[in-house]
Amino acid sequence: FVEGRQADAVMRERPDLASAVMRGIGGGLARMHIAASGITQEEARRLKIRWYQTDGGCCDVQDQIDGKVLSSILNCIDEKKRDVFLNTFYNTELAALRKEMKLAVTVKEGINKYDDKEETEKNISLEHGICHGDPFADNVLVFSDTGKLSALVDIEDFCAGPVLFDLCCCAIGCCFKQQSNCDDGSTKYPQVLDMNLLKALLKGYCADRKIPQIERDHFIPFMRLTLLCNCSWRFVKFNVSNNSDDKDTDDFPEEAKNSYLELQHRIEYLRDPEVVQQIKSLLLAQEDSTTN
């Protein structure tokens, strides 16, 4: 038995505790990530921990790389919706995902050599560790009176994989907020990052684990690719018939069928140069605070 309430509910009801909640989540993730820092596939197998490339987990990102998700999208019978999704969005983002995930293929010794400007990215790799896999606020329990972390729960996607994926998944799942004026069409993006929440997440995380240079450099692309995994899941779930499922896509309301657009818009938002600069500034500030 674990005490606590879901973090998303606490942040809604007690906005004054939101930063404390996010610092706690960040610290909890960091401690989990360093618990088996540098774990290899063979070590994960020996410990009976799933490996993200072969056993699932980490939002099934390997299915994106292998083209399985693309094959599912191609089965969408709404040709217009399918073609618009593929040609104006998914194909481009999938190429970016595949490029970024090449950094996670193997773990090599000397990852910190990335700080050496002579080192090229093809010679380094992202650090692997234990990942929650779905660290959204509704999968975290906190104490409602203080906002302090109680537990990370719902470990269905628990696996060993690149810890940057896990941190970025938390950022895109916990730190977005609805624009107050999104209904009148006066804003370009219906949802934006709450920079105070992202700052708190990074502060809590960096208190236990310093983010390596390679992870800071690829933080924003990994935010986009984790969003793509969730975005395409929604597209397939609600727009592609599955004979093994009880529900046909006709049974889903239009709101569900179009729910992927919420996450697509978040990805587009994360390509805005001003937004990119804001996030980079937050990452730099955390680097400076851990150095001093």
Side-chain angles (χ1 to χ4, degrees):
F1 176 76
V2 179
E3 295 184 7
R5 293 189 63 208
Q6 287 180 306
D8 58 333
V10 172
M11 288 194 288
R12 280 196 306 271
E13 297 170 12
R14 292 285 307 274
D16 57 310
L17 292 179
S19 290
V21 169
M22 292 310 304
R23 285 195 299 272
I25 294 174
L29 277 181
R31 292 189 292 276
M32 181 173 64
H33 291 165
I34 63 178
S37 179
I39 189 172
T40 65
Q41 184 174 6
E42 186 174 330
E43 290 168 338
R45 186 181 299 114
R46 189 178 70 250
L47 295 170
K48 300 188 185 306
I49 297 173
R50 293 193 303 171
W51 185 256
Y52 80 102
Q53 288 177 299
T54 55
D55 309 314
C58 278
C59 299
D60 293 328
V61 66
Q62 193 62 40
D63 287 348
Q64 302 279 350
I65 297 169
D66 294 341
K68 293 179 181 178
V69 176
L70 176 58
S71 295
S72 295
I73 293 170
L74 289 170
N75 289 327
C76 177
I77 60 174
D78 186 334
E79 294 184 4
K80 182 178 179 180
K81 174 178 279 192
R82 178 197 66 200
D83 291 346
V84 168
F85 183 67
L86 288 174
N87 297 329
T88 68
F89 173 71
Y90 182 79
N91 288 337
T92 300
E93 295 299 333
L94 177 60
L97 179 150
R98 285 171 167 163
K99 178 181 178 181
E100 289 295 321
M101 287 302 298
K102 287 180 180 179
L103 290 170
V105 171
T106 58
V107 178
K108 301 177 183 178
E109 293 183 2
I111 187 172
N112 291 330
K113 291 180 181 178
Y114 184 77
D115 289 326
D116 181 355
K117 298 305 180 183
E118 299 296 318
E119 197 73 14
T120 58
E121 288 187 5
K122 65 182 180 180
N123 292 325
I124 52 87
S125 173
L126 294 173
E127 185 175 331
H128 290 58
I130 303 302
C131 297
H132 180 280
D134 190 18
F136 284 28
D138 57 347
N139 291 330
V140 178
L141 298 181
V142 300
F143 294 103
S144 56
D145 56 340
T146 64
K148 289 185 177 181
L149 179 69
S150 173
L152 300 170
V153 296
D154 193 357
I155 56 174
E156 179 182 355
D157 290 315
F158 179 87
C159 69
V163 297
L164 177 61
F165 190 104
D166 216 30
L167 176 58
C168 291
C169 190
C170 183
I172 61 97
C174 297
C175 298
F176 272 87
K177 64 180 180 180
Q178 196 77 15
Q179 288 268 55
S180 57
N181 57 344
C182 64
D183 293 332
D184 60 13
S186 62
T187 180
K188 185 176 180 182
Y189 303 108
Q191 294 182 331
V192 296
L193 276 172
D194 186 322
M195 294 299 173
N196 288 326
L197 293 185
L198 181 57
K199 178 180 179 180
L201 171 66
L202 293 172
K203 184 175 182 179
Y205 190 89
C206 291
D208 287 283
R209 177 182 181 266
K210 181 180 177 181
I211 301 176
Q213 182 67 48
I214 183 177
E215 293 182 14
R216 292 196 299 273
D217 288 349
H218 292 270
F219 190 89
I220 300 169
F222 264 73
M223 289 180 74
R224 291 194 291 259
L225 73 84
T226 56
L227 272 167
L228 185 66
C229 291
N230 288 277
C231 174
S232 53
W233 181 91
R234 288 187 183 183
F235 186 95
V236 171
K237 173 68 176 178
F238 300 117
N239 293 282
V240 179
S241 295
N242 184 350
N243 293 331
S244 65
D245 219 343
D246 290 336
K247 270 198 166 188
D248 189 83
T249 58
D250 290 339
D251 297 328
F252 293 116
E254 284 301 310
E255 182 179 5
K257 291 181 179 181
N258 293 326
S259 62
Y260 71 94
L261 289 170
E262 173 189 4
L263 304 185
Q264 179 176 329
H265 292 155
R266 290 188 188 184
I267 293 173
E268 294 164 349
Y269 163 81
L270 288 171
R271 290 199 175 276
D272 187 301
E274 185 176 335
V275 175
V276 169
Q277 188 54 52
Q278 285 182 285
I279 299 171
K280 286 183 175 180
S281 296
L282 287 180
L283 290 164
L284 181 60
Q286 289 307 317
E287 177 186 5
D288 292 341
S289 67
T290 56
T291 302
N292 295 334

